[in-house]
Amino acid sequence: MDPTSENLYLRARVLVERIANGCKNHNLGSATVSIYDTAWVSMIIRPTVGGDDEVRWLFLESFSFILDSQLPDGGWESYFSIDDGILNTMAAMLAIIRRINALGGLDARQGLLPNLRSRISKAKTYLEKAFQKWDVESSMHVLFEILVPALLTMLENESIYLNFPGRKLLMELNAVKLSGINPEMLYETPTTFLHSLEAFIGTLDFDRVGHHKRFGRMMASPASTAAYLIHSSTWDEEAEGYVRRVIFEGKGKGVGGVPSVFPTTIFEMTWVLSTLIHAGFPIKSLGEENVDKIACCLQEHLQMQQGLLGFCPSVLADAGDTAKAILTLYLLGRTTSLDAMIEHFRSKQGHFQTYLGERDVSFSANCNILKAILGDPGLP
């Protein structure tokens, strides 16, 4: 074996060991830092014990991260499309405005940058240009038709007005989307909207969604959990603890930035192992003891959640992660049933839905389910 191959095998083994060591806790995740979620975390204020008017911002490091990440053009990073840049900049801008409104000149005494108003002006200029170029009709960002209008309203409440060619169409799409959402549904039944509760500020009673928390988090979303903390009438220590864990154990590692989702335990286990095995890595080379730990962990979670899994324990189950978990077990020579996955996610039209009730069909989710079915060792 040449040195390059030896190094590759060693790195794969170390990766599997890291996954195995983290699979039993709820802090395994490698999603990159999200400006949008970091901005929401930076807006969390904890009520003071004495009931006075003193403001206690919990996560100054997240606000500093937002300031440090602003680009020369006034906006914040666009990861894959202009949609990301727009959402990131709107959320970051809102965070800065709220800091100014709440603290006034106190920011300078806390060591934060004194040019916040200039930053807002530059951010607005960026948004005005970005919105002019934004093709609303072709946007593929999940829930853009709810998130962008919600942020537009929040900014307008702070006297920031943004008009653009696609606004009329955006609001029409927003009306259609919201017409299919009954607020009572959000209180009673876990749905994917739990990942974006910030979009429902002003219409949602946040005191009635606390029972949807799992390990302090709202569908593993820092932004959604932040909105819950900000708008609940009773302080939630568990939710605060979750945000602190994300800051220090997520990809930001304590600098203040947080990912858009954390943890992603099931996703990490299944994609790492299945990819390495498909690439030809022998199980022995990956460390049999660690591979066995991961396999046992997957089986335990499948049993506890009646054969259905999400991207981390206790979140809403989805077809892709369930299929990937089953396929990974098959690749490791373990047996498990396909029945719950097929029964739960199969639509009346015959295809599979990523989540129940979704309107758009996911090509990748259907591919993952078909791969799991074809990987069944009991298949005739």
Side-chain angles (χ1 to χ4, degrees):
M1 184 183 295
D2 63 63
T4 303
S5 296
E6 284 187 29
N7 182 52
L8 195 59
Y9 277 91
L10 176 61
R11 290 170 65 186
R13 191 183 186 96
V14 169
L15 176 59
V16 170
E17 182 180 14
R18 183 177 70 80
I19 299 294
N21 289 339
C23 70
K24 288 292 185 181
N25 61 40
H26 302 290
N27 299 315
L28 186 62
S30 59
T32 56
V33 169
S34 159
I35 292 295
Y36 177 84
D37 287 75
T38 303
W40 276 104
V41 166
S42 77
M43 289 186 260
I44 297 176
I45 301 173
R46 177 157 188 173
T48 53
V49 177
D52 52 29
D53 294 330
E54 182 184 350
V55 174
R56 183 185 170 197
W57 298 91
L58 283 189
F59 304 108
L60 293 178
E61 65 269 47
S62 295
F63 187 64
S64 295
F65 186 91
I66 290 298
L67 296 182
D68 293 341
S69 301
Q70 189 172 20
L71 300 174
D73 64 0
W76 277 261
E77 188 176 359
S78 294
Y79 309 122
F80 303 107
S81 69
I82 195 172
D83 305 44
D84 296 313
I86 287 172
L87 283 167
N88 287 343
T89 302
M90 293 177 82
M93 187 179 182
L94 182 66
I96 296 174
I97 292 172
R98 289 188 175 175
R99 188 63 60 101
I100 289 176
N101 290 346
L103 295 179
L106 190 59
D107 277 291
R109 296 198 297 275
Q110 288 187 339
L112 299 177
L113 298 177
N115 60 343
L116 299 184
R117 294 194 182 281
S118 173
R119 289 175 176 273
I120 293 171
S121 177
K122 290 178 181 178
K124 184 179 180 183
T125 298
Y126 166 84
L127 284 173
E128 287 170 343
K129 293 178 180 178
F131 273 128
Q132 290 297 317
K133 297 183 290 184
W134 189 36
D135 183 357
V136 174
E137 200 165 12
S138 64
S139 178
M140 297 297 290
H141 195 288
V142 177
L143 289 185
F144 79 92
E145 67 270 66
I146 294 181
L147 293 172
V148 176
L151 282 166
L152 284 171
T153 298
M154 293 177 208
L155 288 172
E156 286 171 1
N157 290 338
E158 304 291 353
S159 300
I160 299 293
Y161 301 93
L162 296 160
N163 292 308
F164 49 96
R167 179 159 181 157
K168 183 175 182 293
L169 174 59
L170 174 66
M171 300 316 295
E172 290 172 355
L173 294 173
N174 176 254
V176 171
K177 189 76 173 182
L178 292 179
S179 67
I181 302 173
N182 181 352
E184 291 298 320
M185 173 184 71
L186 298 176
Y187 303 136
E188 298 170 2
T189 308
T191 73
T192 54
F193 295 122
L194 288 175
H195 191 79
S196 304
L197 291 179
E198 71 277 8
F200 300 97
I201 293 171
T203 61
L204 193 67
D205 181 354
F206 281 82
D207 289 338
R208 296 179 61 189
V209 296
H211 61 285
H212 288 311
K213 269 192 307 110
R214 297 294 181 269
F215 305 103
R217 59 191 186 236
M218 287 293 180
M219 203 170 173
S221 165
S224 189
T225 306
Y228 164 71
L229 269 171
I230 294 168
H231 293 280
S232 293
S233 62
T234 304
W235 190 253
D236 193 312
E237 299 282 354
E238 187 185 36
E240 178 188 336
Y242 163 71
V243 176
R244 293 193 181 279
R245 287 197 302 276
V246 177
I247 288 176
F248 287 98
E249 299 183 28
K251 201 68 171 178
K253 300 301 180 186
V255 299
V258 300
S260 61
V261 58
F262 186 89
T264 50
T265 313
I266 303 298
F267 178 90
E268 307 280 333
M269 289 192 288
T270 59
W271 277 93
V272 166
L273 262 190
S274 63
T275 300
L276 290 173
I277 293 171
H278 277 306
F281 284 82
I283 292 176
K284 187 175 181 179
S285 74
L286 300 174
E288 291 178 290
E289 183 178 346
N290 287 323
V291 170
D292 187 63
K293 279 184 185 178
I294 296 172
C296 289
C297 194
L298 285 174
Q299 284 187 310
E300 288 173 12
H301 284 301
L302 276 169
Q303 289 169 2
M304 286 189 294
Q305 296 182 218
Q306 290 77 51
L308 304 171
L309 291 177
F311 54 80
C312 74
S314 301
V315 300
L316 193 64
D318 68 87
D321 285 294
T322 300
K324 207 70 177 175
I326 292 172
L327 176 61
T328 301
L329 290 173
Y330 285 160
L331 292 172
L332 296 174
R334 303 291 182 103
T335 58
T336 189
S337 175
L338 294 160
D339 294 347
M341 177 185 71
I342 293 173
E343 181 180 349
H344 187 78
F345 294 110
R346 190 171 184 176
S347 70
K348 294 178 180 179
Q349 292 75 32
H351 66 266
F352 295 96
Q353 306 171 91
T354 304
Y355 292 99
L356 293 186
E358 71 175 4
R359 289 182 296 176
D360 299 323
V361 180
S362 168
F363 182 78
S364 61
N366 278 268
C367 287
N368 285 327
I369 286 186
L370 290 175
K371 286 171 71 175
I373 293 172
L374 293 173
D376 184 358
L379 191 70

